[in-house]
């Protein structure tokens, strides 16, 4: 390449040659030839401008921090991890954090996977949390309800129908424990009770201490059954669809037996469904609890020291003595009631319980009575006591209306004015229990209605004080797994739905139906 240095040297050599003469003999020196202007050096080829380096791709901005809360009551000190590969285990590289005293957690780099919560304590009760909550990616809440949505095909719409959640409530975003969403909190606790108690039962049957993994199996089984059975599991009146819950329990048993890490066991459908019935009663207690009662019920039913669910109903069970109901102090068999029993105006209805073995009973039930006239004036009387605490202690039952219990009453007498009232004061003692015998005092209930009725409904109420005619009778109790005296089967399912009370109230469970000819 021709450089400036070469050009300068060439000029210097040319000038030197000219100075030496180099030409004719004239004295006048020959004018030196003007040196040839050196060829302008070829402008060096401008080096190819290096390709402007591609502006490095801006690194992907880390996902915004994912924050949320873990709720079964707020869970404090729980481990939370972002389960990107959905294997249920905190794998290497998966973000992990811990909940604060109010159940709050944050993934500083965000979380694009399933949120999983385990361990810790309920900040309200102080009880250790033994389950596993999950929530779909992007959720702000991890609760028993979101656990049904995570890693399943269940949609938010299906969840809303199954658990009676308003369609406009996003359970992955709404905090059920903030004091502003008490209905959602009741549903959350009722769902938690089902999943935790089924997991506890499976742990006991399989001899496992891995309750957290069993909780996940229960959640998966429950979501599948709810998808397959569109009928609501939770009704607006707080009752539980027992058939659906039984199916979920059976599915969870099958899933546990299919996993080799859990011990093999056997349980009959009768025993499993009896256990599910007890769990349903506990769940229903949450759904029907008042705001004031919710904390007490949670403390009692979630207490790890509470008796385990009974799973041997074939040897430990309740029945009614001699398969009979007592009316006015006299025993009437189920068969006699079915064909029609003749009585005087009722004064009392009694249930004499027989305890076989040592059944574990610690629950809240509702009791209902209905009389519907066949023909005649078309009279109807429905009575319901919504909260009755039932426990078995050393072979004896204690049956006591809760301090917040209410009596719902509906009555109709022909074209007369309807009775539709709620009695909040049970000091008139409509229930008494002596030696495992429960007596519903019909006379005192009617008298209480009379004393509480206004002038427009008192006439209707009076028509139930000395009644005659033929009536269909129903006695129903939810949450008590009562069997035939020989233990071969449960009593028939029945229900008493209070007709016009708003919100509606229904006792849906086991019971006795028949016909009374009142003379």
């Amino acid at each position: 390449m021709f450089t400036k240095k070469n050009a300068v040297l060439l000029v210097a050599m040319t000038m030197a040659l000219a100075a030496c003469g180099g030409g004719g003999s004239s004295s006048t020196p020959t004018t030196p030839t003007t040196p040839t202007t050196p060829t302008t050096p070829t402008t060096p080829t401008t080096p190819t401008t290096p390709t402007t380096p591609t502006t490095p791709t801006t690194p992907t901005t880390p996902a915004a921090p994912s924050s949320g809360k873990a709720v079964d009551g707020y869970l404090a000190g729980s481990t939370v991890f972002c389960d990107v590969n959905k294997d249920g285990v905190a794998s290497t590289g998966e973000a992990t954090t811990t909940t604060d005293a109010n159940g709050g957690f944050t993934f500083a780099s965000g979380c694009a996977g399933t949120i999983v919560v385990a361990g810790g304590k309920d900040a309200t009760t102080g009880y250790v949390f033994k389950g596993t909550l999950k929530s779909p990616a992007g959720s702000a809440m991890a609760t028993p309800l979101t656990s049904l949505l995570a890693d399943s095909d269940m949609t938010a719409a299906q969840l809303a129908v199954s658990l009676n959640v308003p369609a406009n409530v996003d359970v992955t975003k709404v905090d059920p424990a903030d004091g502003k969403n008490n209905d959602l909190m009741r549903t959350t606790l009722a769902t938690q009770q089902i999943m935790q108690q089924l997991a506890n039962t499976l742990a006991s049957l399989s001899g496992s201490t891995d309750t957290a993994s069993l909780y996940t199996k229960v959640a998966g089984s429950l979501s599948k059954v709810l998808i397959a059975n569109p009928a609501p599991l939770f009704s607006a009146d707080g009752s539980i669809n027992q058939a659906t819950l039984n199916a979920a329990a059976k599915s969870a048993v099958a899933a546990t037996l299919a996993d080799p890490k859990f011990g093999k066991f056997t349980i009959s459908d009768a025993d499993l469904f009896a256990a599910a019935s007890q769990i349903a009663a506990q769940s229903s207690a949450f759904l029907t609890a008042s705001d004031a009662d919710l904390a007490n019920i949670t403390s009692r039913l979630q207490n790890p020291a509470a008796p385990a669910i009974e799973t041997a109903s074939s040897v430990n069970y309740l029945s009614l003595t001699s398969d009979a109901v007592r009316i006015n102090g006299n025993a009437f068999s189920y068969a006699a009631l079915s064909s029609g029993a003749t009585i005087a105006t009722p004064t009392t209805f009694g249930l004499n319980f027989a305890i076989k073995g040592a059944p574990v009973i610690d629950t809240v039930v509702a009791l209902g009575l209905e009389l519907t006239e066949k023909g005649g004036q078309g009279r109807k009387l429905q009575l319901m006591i919504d909260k009755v605490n039932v426990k078995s202690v050393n072979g004896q039952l204690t049956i006591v209306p809760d301090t917040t219990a209410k009596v719902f009453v509906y009555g109709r007498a022909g074209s007369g004015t309807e009775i539709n009232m709620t009695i909040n004061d049970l000091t008139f003692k409509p229930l008494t229990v002596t030696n495992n015998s429960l007596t519903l005092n019909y006379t005192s209930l009617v008298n209480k209605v009379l004393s509480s009725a206004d002038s427009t409904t008192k006439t209707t109420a009076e028509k139930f004080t000395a009644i005659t005619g033929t009536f269909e009778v129903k006695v129903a109790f939810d949450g008590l797994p009562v069997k035939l005296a020989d233990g071969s089967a449960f009593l028939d399912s029945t229900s008493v739905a209070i007709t016009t009370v708003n919100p509606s109230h229904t006792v849906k469970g086991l019971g006795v139906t028949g016909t009374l000819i009142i003379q």
Side-chain angles (χ1 to χ4, degrees), residues 61-336:
T61 304
S66 294
S67 298
K69 288 192 173 183
V71 184
D72 163 38
Y74 292 131
L75 295 180
S78 299
T79 297
V80 189
F81 67 92
C82 182
D83 192 13
V84 178
N85 60 9
K86 295 187 177 183
D87 65 353
V89 178
S91 306
T92 301
E94 290 181 334
T96 302
T97 186
T98 304
T99 58
D100 61 24
N102 296 312
F105 62 85
T106 298
F107 292 109
S109 298
C111 174
T114 301
I115 297 168
V116 181
V117 181
K121 291 184 178 181
D122 185 321
T124 303
T125 64
Y127 301 148
V128 173
F129 179 64
K130 296 183 178 180
T132 300
L133 301 181
K134 290 188 176 184
S135 197
S139 299
M141 292 292 141
T143 74
L145 304 188
T146 64
S147 296
L148 295 175
L149 297 176
D151 302 339
S152 81
D153 295 325
M154 192 174 200
T155 66
Q158 289 168 323
L159 178 75
V161 171
S162 294
L163 302 184
N164 196 37
V165 174
N168 63 339
V169 174
D170 185 346
V171 299
T172 69
K173 306 296 182 188
V174 178
D175 182 353
D178 63 1
K180 303 174 184 177
N181 300 284
N182 290 344
D183 284 343
L184 183 61
M185 189 61 187
R186 276 184 274 271
T187 301
T188 299
L189 290 170
T191 305
Q192 161 64 16
Q193 195 70 11
I194 285 175
M195 296 199 294
Q196 190 68 68
Q197 288 288 41
L198 281 176
N200 292 347
T201 299
L202 292 171
S204 177
L205 290 170
S206 64
S208 174
T209 58
D210 190 2
T211 311
S213 292
L214 290 168
Y215 187 103
T216 298
K217 289 189 181 297
V218 170
S221 296
L222 181 57
S223 62
K224 288 177 183 177
V225 168
L226 293 179
I227 291 170
N229 296 273
L233 175 64
F234 295 163
S235 297
D237 58 19
S239 60
I240 309 294
N241 187 320
Q242 193 65 55
T244 300
L245 183 55
N246 289 349
K250 196 166 183 177
S251 175
V253 166
T256 303
L257 290 173
D259 191 331
K261 78 176 182 179
F262 295 107
K264 300 300 180 184
F265 59 88
T266 59
I267 183 170
S268 68
D269 284 352
D271 286 347
L272 179 63
F273 297 164
S277 178
Q278 296 169 62
I279 294 170
Q282 294 181 0
S283 178
S284 182
F286 285 107
L287 294 173
T288 58
S290 67
D291 291 349
D293 285 344
L294 196 56
N296 289 334
I297 290 176
T298 301
S299 182
R300 181 169 67 83
L301 293 181
Q302 288 191 352
N303 190 341
I309 294 297
E310 179 59 64
T311 56
S313 72
S314 57
V315 294
N316 301 310
Y317 61 89
L318 283 179
S319 67
L320 295 183
T321 301
S322 302
D323 289 334
V325 174
R326 297 184 71 81
I327 304 174
N328 298 346
N330 301 311
F332 292 88
S333 68
Y334 305 152

Side-chain angles (χ1 to χ4, degrees), residues 417-491:
T417 303
E418 293 181 329
I419 301 168
N420 184 19
M421 66 173 59
T422 300
I423 302 172
N424 296 307
D425 178 14
L426 271 66
T427 56
F428 65 98
K429 296 183 178 179
L431 286 181
T432 57
V433 179
T434 305
N435 293 329
N436 296 336
S437 178
L438 178 151
T439 300
L440 177 65
N441 193 319
Y442 175 86
T443 300
S444 75
L445 276 167
V446 172
N447 288 339
K448 181 66 175 179
V449 171
L450 280 170
S451 66
S452 304
D454 58 27
S455 58
T456 60
T457 58
K458 190 169 185 178
T459 301
T460 299
E462 287 173 342
K463 293 185 178 182
F464 291 94
T465 57
I467 58 175
T468 59
T470 300
F471 291 78
E472 179 187 38
V473 61
K474 292 182 183 179
V475 179
F477 32 87
D478 66 3
L480 280 181
V482 180
K483 307 187 79 172
L484 297 176
D486 63 4
S488 60
F490 290 102
L491 297 187

